[in-house]
Amino acid sequence: MIVDMPETTTSEVTKRLVSLRESNGVITMGRVLTLVVCTLDSSEAEDAIDAANDASREHPCRVVVLARGDREAETRLDAQIRVGGDAGAAEVIVLRLQGELINHESSVVIPFLLPDTPVVAWWPRGAPEFPSKDSVGRLATRRITDATFAPDPQETIKRRRGSYATGDTDLAWSRITYWRALLAATMDEPPYEPVESVTVSGLREEPALDMLAGWLAARLGCPVRRRTGELRVEVHRPSVSIAIARPQTGRTATLIRTGDPVQRIALARRETRDCLAEELRRLDADEIYAEALAGIEKVTYE
């Protein structure tokens, strides 16, 4: 069910939510969190809602979407409520802000926060420089950004360390979960020799690879190089070299180890909805993410 409420107020939207629950049996019991999605405009909102709906099937929640309009227009709030089949396992409230209201996003959000549940803020694009100091970010226990869609993804992910606060994370980090698991598994096999060097290659504008390089530098304490080229990670030990390579748009990777037959492994790029669902699984600080951010400074760029 989708209910449009043009030129409305937050109090009217709240009353309508209560009315919908009473008349249709739609309830918020069992919601585990409130996800606040801060979008740049209405055109971006639909993709974010689709990803949030899919993630809500694992984490039932209330989704509050802030869609910014024209700052120079007359101050106005247009709302839309989505429940039932149009909202996955969530309760979606889309708030389209115009004019001066854009400067008061937190005041618009507060009436819709569920009591005694954590708040997670997500910026699909256009994240603030300091998410923890943003008006909405201050309401959240977890703050999710995505450097992938920034104008300069590599520089954006490098700056994340300077703005990092407990509770911050970036979807570039969860995009490499499978890569990290595969690399950890390969290095847990004999010979148990120290790693001498690592090379991470791929697109310059893929911040997930910078996170991967930073994680390896922080964990292994060896020289790590980041190059532009084919998607490939090479790990060098005194007697064994391991390489994992995959086409940029492919779904299958090749694992090459000195002296062993070539292996093919499923390793598709993760969708935003999968990364978002992973980040919603934890509401505490991600210390390994913070270490990987710090590790980026140890990476040599070529």
Side-chain angles (χ1 to χ4, degrees):
M1 177 186 296
I2 298 179
V3 178
D4 289 308
M5 300 181 65
E7 294 190 70
T8 188
T9 63
T10 57
S11 61
E12 289 299 319
V13 177
T14 302
K15 291 177 183 177
R16 191 59 181 273
L17 277 168
V18 174
S19 174
L20 285 171
R21 289 198 291 270
E22 291 176 348
S23 61
N24 298 287
V26 179
I27 61 174
T28 56
M29 297 296 290
R31 303 298 191 221
V32 297
L33 57 88
T34 302
L35 176 62
V36 182
V37 186
C38 304
T39 65
L40 294 176
D41 52 48
S42 296
S43 62
E44 179 194 327
E46 288 304 321
D47 287 341
I49 291 171
D50 287 344
N53 282 347
D54 284 345
S56 75
R57 290 179 168 83
E58 182 176 340
H59 311 278
C61 59
R62 169 176 284 182
V63 179
V64 181
V65 181
L66 297 174
R68 302 168 191 164
D70 186 356
R71 290 182 181 272
E72 304 302 321
E74 182 180 351
T75 299
R76 166 173 168 166
L77 172 64
D78 295 328
Q80 186 181 78
I81 301 173
R82 304 184 187 186
V83 293
D86 294 295
E91 183 178 65
V92 180
I93 305 164
V94 184
L95 305 172
R96 294 184 170 87
L97 314 180
Q98 299 272 12
E100 182 64 22
L101 209 55
I102 296 175
N103 298 322
H104 303 280
E105 291 179 325
S106 61
S107 298
V108 177
V109 167
I110 288 174
F112 302 104
L113 301 182
L114 294 171
D116 302 320
T117 58
V119 177
V120 178
W122 173 36
W123 292 268
R125 299 173 189 264
E129 185 70 22
F130 290 86
S132 62
K133 297 180 181 180
D134 179 79
S135 62
V136 174
R138 285 196 293 266
L139 300 173
T141 54
R142 286 278 281 171
R143 293 164 295 274
I144 304 172
T145 56
D146 195 347
T148 304
F149 300 106
D152 189 336
Q154 190 174 85
E155 283 304 310
T156 298
I157 201 64
K158 287 181 179 180
R159 291 197 303 269
R160 288 279 182 253
R161 187 192 182 193
S163 66
Y164 176 78
T166 301
D168 288 358
T169 191
D170 195 281
L171 293 189
W173 174 240
S174 44
R175 285 197 174 92
I176 59 168
T177 296
Y178 295 158
W179 281 85
R180 290 191 291 127
L182 180 57
L183 284 165
T186 59
M187 286 186 282
D188 269 346
E189 297 179 2
Y192 302 107
E193 301 172 332
V195 177
E196 295 181 324
S197 66
V198 177
T199 301
V200 178
S201 305
L203 298 176
R204 180 190 182 279
E205 58 272 19
E206 182 51 81
L209 296 178
D210 299 285
M211 289 300 306
L212 183 61
W215 172 69
L216 290 167
R219 285 282 149 175
L220 298 177
C222 68
V224 177
R225 294 188 296 272
R226 170 78 161 92
R227 293 175 175 171
T228 301
E230 66 170 333
L231 182 53
R232 185 181 180 93
V233 178
E234 298 178 10
V235 179
H236 301 285
R237 282 174 157 164
S239 63
V240 174
S241 291
I242 303 167
I244 302 172
R246 195 201 73 193
Q248 296 287 356
T249 58
R251 302 178 63 86
T252 304
T254 301
L255 173 61
I256 305 169
R257 185 197 302 267
T258 304
D260 290 349
V262 174
Q263 301 179 48
R264 294 176 65 81
I265 301 169
L267 194 64
R269 179 182 174 85
R270 302 189 76 194
E271 299 290 339
T272 297
R273 63 195 65 187
D274 301 318
C275 297
L276 179 62
E278 177 181 327
E279 293 299 344
L280 294 180
R281 286 180 199 137
R282 62 180 304 159
L283 298 174
D284 57 336
D286 190 341
E287 297 175 354
I288 306 302
Y289 166 72
E291 289 179 9
L293 281 179
I296 292 177
E297 294 188 355
K298 303 176 183 178
V299 176
T300 302
Y301 283 78
E302 299 180 353

